[in-house]
Amino acid sequence: MKIYNKYIAAIALSLVLASCKAPMATVIQDEVKNNIPENFTQNEQQDVNNNSGTTPWRQFFTDPNLVSLIETSLKNNQELMITLQEIEIAKSGVVAKKGKLSPTVRAGLGAGVEKVGRYTSTGAGDASTEIEPGREMPDPLGNFEGGLMANWEIDIWKKLRTEKEAAVAHYLSTVEGKNFVLSNLIEEVADNYYELLALDNQMDIIQQYIKLQTRALEIAKIQKQAAAATELAVKKFEAELAKSKATEYTIRQQITEKENQINALCGRYPQPIVRTKESFMSTIPQTVYTGIPSQLLANRPDIKQAELELKSAKLDVEAARKEFYPSLEISATLGLEAFKPSYLVKLPESIATSLVGELAGPLINKSAIKANFQTADAKQIQALYEYDKTILNAYLDISNLMSKVKNIDQYYQLKSQETQALDQSIDIANQLFKNSRADYLEVLLNQRDALDAKMELIEAKQKQLSTVVDIYKGLGGGWK
């Protein structure tokens, strides 16, 4: 009999060891992070001590109306509120994983009745058992119980701790996700605010142009009466005036939509946007310092979010791999049990206890465990690609925006020169037209070119300001 017991123990040990075999996770290397360039441009050195991404947004934006809009959006924006709830969900996940490390204790009450066959081992035993002298076991037999039950999975492979660490990493990634939403929200409010100011200034330009066209039409009519111009010139000026008035209504609609877009970001119903349009064209863009590319890893919340998601995915693979190992569970009960409620208070006869330890591992048909492991392994590779893509896109964004700042500045300067020259040409053309030394087409073309140049100059100013905001957000600014 002892030899059989040894064989059984050896077989059981062999089966447990066989169940411990687990596949290896894919080894991943982060080449994009390790090979990030030292500078954003090859021919320029960046100042490591100056980085605008670390500047708080209240110091970066100086327009009090814009600051007020940003404050409102941070309080009421629905997307931000949704993100905050995602953080709460992730926090609950951490609490749930942490709870698995502790024993589970339950309290319960139960009642039941059982009738077994007379000619069974249980029935025969009950029939021959006397509870007290002269009193046999009742038939059917009742059962009443109450007590405490505890279960505890011993974390011998640190699987539960790994799952908790993965949940913590995911929770921290949702916090960084909230910071990324903050950064995007501030950028979007600022961009729309500058676009609204640009539309206001374009409205002023088109209204000035309408007055100019009205005067030109009056001159054309006078010259027609004096036989110095034809009906064709009058109709051309009338058509140009109607076109300008139509453009005015188009801009009015764009202003309304832009105001509502800002109100939507602020989480409120339509209302006027307080702003000062007069100083828009004289606004000097903030000077932005980019620092060095490696600082993006610490400043940009989307990169930190992707890094934490990668860490969480790696821990998930580790936890899934440990599912192949045996688990040790301990269960215990302590309570009172009797076939009659009045007997429950008879101690110690009604006391019932149990203590069971179980070591078990998967042996046959591991397809579900393998599938979970393969899924987790694929997700960690996917998370690495997502992390690398985020770093690469961040670097390219800053590189493109740095080039855009320089080019848009040059574009703005040249447009300013063009606008000044065309303003002078309008006065010259109008004077020549009054003296019948230029025809109406020259006047119209000069006025159209001047209008287009002024509109483009306003757009250039808006792009100047928005590009600086985009770089600020691209460097990781806005969430601090």
Side-chain angles (χ1 to χ4, degrees):
M1 186 68 181
K2 292 182 179 179
I3 296 176
Y4 288 143
N5 290 338
K6 290 181 180 179
Y7 284 147
I8 293 173
I11 293 173
L13 181 60
S14 299
L15 292 176
V16 170
L17 293 175
S19 68
C20 290
K21 292 183 179 180
M24 298 299 295
T26 303
V27 179
I28 57 178
Q29 295 182 350
D30 192 359
E31 296 182 359
V32 172
K33 177 183 177 181
N34 296 333
N35 297 327
I36 190 169
E38 295 182 357
N39 298 290
F40 288 108
T41 56
Q42 296 181 353
N43 300 325
E44 295 183 13
Q45 294 291 327
Q46 273 78 44
D47 187 355
V48 67
N49 297 320
N50 287 324
N51 191 319
S52 297
T54 59
T55 305
W57 67 266
R58 291 179 184 275
Q59 298 178 16
F60 188 81
F61 297 105
T62 57
D63 187 330
N65 295 322
L66 175 56
V67 170
S68 177
L69 288 173
I70 293 176
E71 289 177 342
T72 303
S73 67
L74 295 180
K75 293 178 182 177
N76 302 330
N77 183 262
Q78 284 81 12
E79 184 177 355
L80 181 58
M81 298 300 108
I82 293 171
T83 304
L84 292 177
Q85 295 310 307
E86 290 177 357
I87 293 177
E88 293 301 318
I89 294 171
K91 187 187 296 183
S92 299
V94 174
V95 175
K97 295 296 183 182
K98 185 179 179 180
K100 288 186 176 182
L101 291 168
S102 303
T104 300
V105 180
R106 297 178 293 126
L109 297 172
V113 64
E114 181 183 23
K115 178 175 176 55
V116 297
R118 177 67 178 80
Y119 300 111
T120 61
S121 59
T122 303
D126 292 344
S128 61
T129 301
E130 291 185 353
I131 309 168
E132 297 175 352
R135 294 188 62 184
E136 296 182 351
M137 190 75 71
D139 188 22
L141 186 65
N143 186 59
F144 300 90
E145 60 183 359
L148 302 176
M149 294 151 281
N151 291 90
W152 188 19
E153 181 180 351
I154 307 299
D155 195 19
I156 54 178
W157 310 110
K158 294 186 178 180
K159 181 191 72 174
L160 300 179
R161 288 182 177 85
T162 302
E163 291 179 350
K164 188 196 78 170
E165 291 174 4
V168 170
H170 176 66
Y171 162 71
L172 294 176
S173 75
T174 60
V175 175
E176 296 298 338
K178 181 264 295 182
N179 293 336
F180 187 58
V181 171
L182 282 175
S183 186
N184 281 339
L185 178 60
I186 291 173
E187 177 204 30
E188 198 169 354
V189 171
D191 283 345
N192 281 281
Y193 179 75
Y194 290 138
E195 289 175 11
L196 180 59
L197 292 180
L199 289 171
D200 288 338
N201 280 264
Q202 287 181 337
M203 175 62 76
D204 290 342
I205 294 297
I206 197 67
Q207 289 175 346
Q208 293 173 12
Y209 187 66
I210 289 173
K211 292 179 181 178
L212 182 65
Q213 287 296 313
T214 302
R215 289 196 298 268
L217 177 59
E218 292 173 355
I219 293 172
K221 290 179 178 179
I222 293 172
Q223 288 191 331
K224 178 195 171 187
Q225 293 174 356
T230 64
E231 180 68 17
L232 180 59
V234 174
K235 294 302 180 185
K236 281 290 185 179
F237 280 113
E238 286 180 350
E240 190 69 16
L241 180 60
K243 178 182 177 182
S244 300
K245 290 181 177 180
T247 303
E248 178 185 4
Y249 286 103
T250 300
I251 296 176
R252 288 186 186 278
Q253 179 60 27
Q254 291 174 343
I255 290 174
T256 299
E257 292 177 358
K258 189 59 62 178
E259 284 184 323
N260 287 338
Q261 193 170 352
I262 294 175
N263 283 318
L265 292 172
C266 294
R268 64 191 187 188
Y269 287 104
Q271 58 182 272
I273 302 298
V274 179
R275 57 198 187 268
T276 304
K277 63 182 179 180
E278 288 76 17
S279 60
F280 175 72
M281 294 303 295
S282 60
T283 302
I284 300 175
Q286 286 267 26
T287 301
V288 179
Y289 302 98
T290 59
I292 57 176
S294 60
Q295 293 174 340
L296 292 175
L297 304 178
N299 291 339
R300 280 189 59 134
D302 57 333
I303 293 180
K304 293 195 286 185
Q305 180 186 18
E307 183 178 17
L308 288 166
E309 286 294 348
L310 176 60
K311 179 181 179 181
S312 177
K314 289 180 178 179
L315 291 170
D316 284 338
V317 174
E318 186 179 343
R321 186 172 183 270
K322 291 176 180 178
E323 289 288 347
F324 289 90
Y325 300 158
S327 60
L328 175 60
E329 293 188 6
I330 296 176
S331 59
T333 59
L334 173 63
L336 303 175
E337 186 175 17
F339 62 82
K340 190 175 181 180
S342 60
Y343 288 165
L344 286 173
V345 296
K346 290 189 176 183
L347 302 178
E349 290 84 354
S350 62
I351 295 177
T353 62
S354 70
L355 179 64
V356 178
E358 182 181 44
L359 180 66
L363 183 62
I364 301 175
N365 192 9
K366 303 179 184 178
S367 57
I369 300 177
K370 289 179 180 178
N372 290 335
F373 172 78
Q374 291 170 355
T375 299
D377 193 43
K379 285 185 177 180
Q380 77 153 341
I381 298 174
Q382 186 182 50
L384 174 65
Y385 292 149
E386 189 68 33
Y387 180 52
D388 288 344
K389 183 183 75 173
T390 305
I391 295 176
L392 183 60
N393 288 341
Y395 177 87
L396 294 175
D397 284 345
I398 298 302
S399 181
N400 290 336
L401 289 170
M402 287 176 62
S403 175
K404 185 177 180 181
V405 164
K406 295 178 181 178
N407 291 327
I408 199 66
D409 286 343
Q410 294 296 322
Y411 177 83
Y412 181 79
Q413 296 301 326
L414 293 173
K415 277 295 175 183
S416 296
Q417 296 176 17
E418 179 187 4
T419 301
Q420 293 174 4
L422 287 172
D423 280 341
Q424 295 172 0
S425 69
I426 287 178
D427 294 336
I428 296 172
N430 287 336
Q431 191 64 36
L432 292 173
F433 182 66
K434 289 179 181 179
N435 297 327
S436 301
R437 296 179 61 187
D439 60 25
Y440 63 91
L441 288 177
E442 292 177 302
V443 176
L444 283 175
L445 289 175
N446 272 280
Q447 291 176 348
R448 286 180 184 176
D449 291 342
L451 175 65
D452 292 340
K454 289 180 180 179
M455 292 292 197
E456 291 169 358
L457 182 64
I458 293 172
E459 290 178 0
K461 173 58 69 174
Q462 178 263 315
K463 288 179 181 178
Q464 260 191 334
L465 298 173
S466 293
T467 302
V468 170
V469 174
D470 294 342
I471 291 184
Y472 175 64
K473 175 254 181 182
L475 293 171
W479 60 272
K480 295 183 180 180

